[in-house]
Amino acid sequence: MEKIDNLDRKILEIVMRNARIPSKDVAMECGVSRAAIHQRLQRMIDLKVITGSGYHVNPKILGYRTCTYIGVNLERGAMYRDVVPELEKIPEVVECHFTTGPYTMLIKLYARDNEHLMELLNDKIQMIHGVNGTETLISLDSSIDREIPINYE
């Protein structure tokens, strides 16, 4: 993989704070041309350093008031590849991780309320072939939500 230099890191730090910042403002803050910013951003996209951009949406405003983490145990760890496509069919599931520790998988989902959560658990997640059991952890509050720090000189 090509090296990410200090200018790349500075650009990343700026656009991570505000993905909508105009390139001319990034260029001015970095002391380079707008074309250089475009080229470096495109290179970092091509290298998959930058994997997306967009808006953060507040689930509560859209009626999804319950944030839940669910530890999922599978009959066999190898069933992960079969279970993930089934979880992708559930739009409320926003993250899925193959993990070590007490669970085979850890998923994050948003539900409208506890009744909706129970429906998702009982009628969808626990009905997936290979799911052996679940443990539900409801998030009461989110205190930190940030990207990995970018260090540059």
Side-chain angles (χ1 to χ4, degrees), residues 45-114:
I45 290 168
D46 294 344
L47 291 172
K48 298 197 181 345
V49 173
I50 298 173
T51 59
S53 64
Y55 299 101
H56 293 281
V57 176
N58 183 343
K60 289 180 182 177
I61 301 298
L62 298 176
Y64 292 88
R65 304 195 53 78
T66 303
C67 175
T68 308
Y69 294 88
I70 301 171
V72 179
N73 286 308
L74 302 179
E75 291 173 21
R76 293 183 323 278
M79 297 183 87
Y80 177 76
R81 289 179 205 88
D82 301 321
V83 172
V84 170
E86 296 304 312
L87 289 170
E88 287 176 331
K89 295 175 185 175
I90 304 170
E92 293 88 351
V93 173
V94 296
E95 289 184 30
C96 176
H97 304 270
F98 190 35
T99 61
T100 62
Y103 311 114
T104 312
M105 305 167 69
L106 186 66
I107 62 174
K108 178 180 178 181
L109 66 77
Y110 286 96
R112 292 185 299 275
D113 51 32
N114 287 350

